[in-house]
Amino acid sequence: MSTVIEQAVQARLVASAPQMESVPATLRYDRADPFAVSMEFPAPATLEGTEVSWAFARELLTEGMEAPAGVGDVRVRPYGYDRTVLEFHAVEGTAMVHIRTSDLRRFLKRAEELVPAGREHLFMDLDEDLAELMRDAC
């Protein structure tokens, strides 16, 4: 059984222009980092022309589909019948994308099957994490 889940999604980039541009993105969940999910955007979809990845709490994504969640660099909120808005805040500015809520639910269901919510701590390798911290400190 794989310990990584990836799911391609279409993100609708919200801009000042009247129409929203669709950009490809990938949602990723790795059992080795059980509390986090990431959303990756390929180079052509970014202003810098380089691949960009945002990591944030799986719980933030789950909560944000039902009600506004997050106060930091990543914020999530429902929008209309079947959309969820993800806001990514950086020094360079804010990017807002709309994702189909059904795509997010499918992704989170797969992550839940891999690591049940509330059981993430059972999948952490604290000895390895501590050893890595010690290596970084030297």
Side-chain angles (χ1 to χ4, degrees):
M1 179 180 193
S2 176
T3 62
V4 176
I5 295 169
E6 290 188 341
Q7 180 175 315
V9 295
Q10 283 296 311
R12 305 276 320 227
L13 185 60
V14 179
S16 57
Q19 290 196 322
M20 290 187 283
E21 177 184 343
S22 287
V23 296
T26 303
L27 291 167
R28 187 171 199 277
Y29 181 77
D30 186 343
R31 186 166 62 182
D33 190 3
F35 288 100
V37 297
S38 65
M39 188 164 196
E40 300 165 358
F41 297 91
T46 69
L47 293 175
E48 297 82 20
T50 58
E51 187 174 297
V52 173
S53 180
W54 287 83
F56 48 95
R58 173 171 73 161
E59 184 177 24
L60 177 66
L61 192 56
T62 301
E63 291 176 4
M65 290 188 305
E66 304 302 325
V71 293
D73 293 341
V74 180
R75 300 172 193 174
V76 184
R77 61 184 162 84
Y79 183 82
Y81 172 70
D82 189 37
R83 296 276 180 200
T84 299
V85 175
L86 285 82
E87 296 179 14
F88 301 101
H89 296 260
V91 174
E92 300 82 10
T94 300
M96 289 177 41
V97 296
H98 288 199
I99 306 288
R100 283 189 183 98
T101 303
S102 58
D103 288 343
L104 296 177
R105 288 190 198 289
R106 185 171 44 256
F107 172 75
L108 289 168
K109 181 178 184 229
R110 293 174 61 207
E112 176 80 18
E113 290 168 358
L114 192 60
V115 177
R119 316 265 312 172
E120 294 91 349
H121 65 284
L122 300 175
F123 293 85
M124 296 186 69
D125 186 349
L126 296 179
D127 291 334
E128 177 58 31
D129 291 344
L130 183 58
E132 185 177 331
L133 283 173
M134 298 303 288
R135 282 192 299 271
D136 290 346
C138 296

